[in-house]
Amino acid sequence: MNPLSLSYYTVPELSPPDMVTVAADQGCAHVGLRLLGGQPDGDPMPLLADPALRREMKRCMADRGVTALDANTARVLPHTDLDAFRPFLEAAAELGARHVLATGDDPDGGRLAARLGRLCDDAAGFGLTVQFEFVSWMSVPSAAAAARLIGRVGRPNIGIALDALHYDRSGGTPAEVAAIPPGLFAYMHLCDAPRDHGTDRDSLLHTAVKERLFPGDGGIDLAGLLRALPPGLPLAIEIPTATLARTMDAPARVARAVAATRRLLAAL
């Protein structure tokens, strides 16, 4: 059975310790840590800014037997100050994360590869890997493009964070994923999404951050995708449901997401 992780975006209204409690109650082995809003020069999230909150988070994780799967997000743009990611990496390591999530948007692929290589070197100093998430509206829009980029980066501690939504919106196929060396995948973000959707950036972004669906409720071929990935891969449940959240509390939404995920896995 694939270990489950509860991502921040599924329950953004919860404090980090409350998120751990809900994750543990629903049988999730891990949680995702939201430390940055995407850029080191933006406002840090409370978990990065508040050492007391990090100490409380560590106690809660230890008490409930939950560990941190990943920390997000380091977004690498042409002007990004890579030195400014150091507090992010330090906090991720302090909280026991295994991976840090990164995205990149740069029309110069060689420059992006070099800057990601620098991020990997810095992360390695904290015992962290960098998992690169391709996004359909950015300069690395697909799993195949991400694999090519990682080949250019040439570091042992970088892989692909495959998000089911971005995979689907990129036109990805199980064959495309199966052609990528399985060792590049450390975990994936699991969700479903409507079959019919707008293709403009604003529509894609709205669905990604606000209105995903539980597995089985949409049109993504999740079974085919999971069969193409290495068996037993940790699954990070990343299902923001802003409309549903108005009438269903966080524990109930997580219970529904976990139940749907387990039905999907059982059907495989």
Side-chain angles (χ1 to χ4, degrees):
M1 184 65 72
N2 304 66
L4 303 184
S5 179
L6 178 58
S7 293
Y8 162 86
Y9 290 105
T10 304
V11 288
E13 72 268 39
L14 294 183
S15 70
D18 286 345
M19 179 181 172
V20 170
T21 298
V22 171
D25 288 347
Q26 295 302 325
C28 295
H30 313 295
V31 293
L33 307 173
R34 182 66 162 164
L35 298 178
L36 280 179
Q39 278 295 91
D41 53 359
D43 291 334
M45 299 297 285
L47 198 55
L48 179 59
D50 188 348
L53 181 58
R54 290 199 299 277
R55 290 192 293 270
E56 182 184 357
M57 183 67 164
K58 289 170 66 176
R59 287 193 298 268
C60 189
M61 288 193 293
D63 289 345
R64 297 307 305 267
V66 171
T67 60
L69 180 64
D70 66 341
N72 62 74
T73 304
R75 189 178 181 199
V76 179
L77 303 176
H79 65 273
T80 302
D81 177 7
L82 297 177
D83 289 332
F85 282 127
R86 185 174 182 84
F88 164 70
L89 298 173
E90 289 177 341
E94 177 189 347
L95 291 163
R98 305 178 190 182
H99 317 288
V100 292
L101 184 71
T103 62
D105 199 9
D106 188 338
D108 185 329
R111 179 173 58 197
L112 178 58
R115 291 169 69 74
L116 283 170
R118 160 70 190 285
L119 179 63
C120 288
D121 293 342
D122 291 345
F126 294 96
L128 297 162
T129 77
V130 174
Q131 301 299 320
F132 183 83
E133 182 177 64
F134 63 90
V135 180
S136 63
W137 61 81
M138 293 185 183
S139 62
V140 185
S142 68
R148 291 192 294 270
L149 173 65
I150 286 170
R152 297 182 74 176
V153 172
R155 299 299 196 279
N157 65 324
I158 188 170
I160 299 173
L162 189 150
D163 182 296
L165 177 70
H166 299 316
Y167 155 84
D168 180 72
R169 293 335 192 210
S170 73
T173 65
E176 177 190 23
V177 173
I180 295 171
L184 291 184
F185 297 106
Y187 64 99
M188 70 164 284
H189 292 147
L190 182 69
C191 70
D192 212 332
R195 186 181 303 275
D196 298 324
H197 59 89
T199 57
D200 60 285
R201 185 182 185 278
D202 287 346
S203 296
L204 294 168
L205 184 61
H206 175 76
T207 299
V209 302
K210 295 288 187 181
E211 299 293 351
R212 302 191 186 198
L213 299 175
F214 300 110
D217 288 350
I220 301 178
D221 178 15
L222 294 174
L225 173 58
L226 286 169
R227 290 190 181 101
L229 288 164
L233 204 68
L235 303 178
I237 297 171
E238 185 167 284
I239 311 176
T241 50
T243 300
L244 182 63
R246 298 171 190 162
T247 57
M248 181 180 290
D249 66 16
R253 299 197 317 274
V254 174
R256 183 169 166 181
V258 168
T261 300
R262 288 178 173 154
R263 285 195 299 272
L264 170 66
L265 294 174
L268 294 177

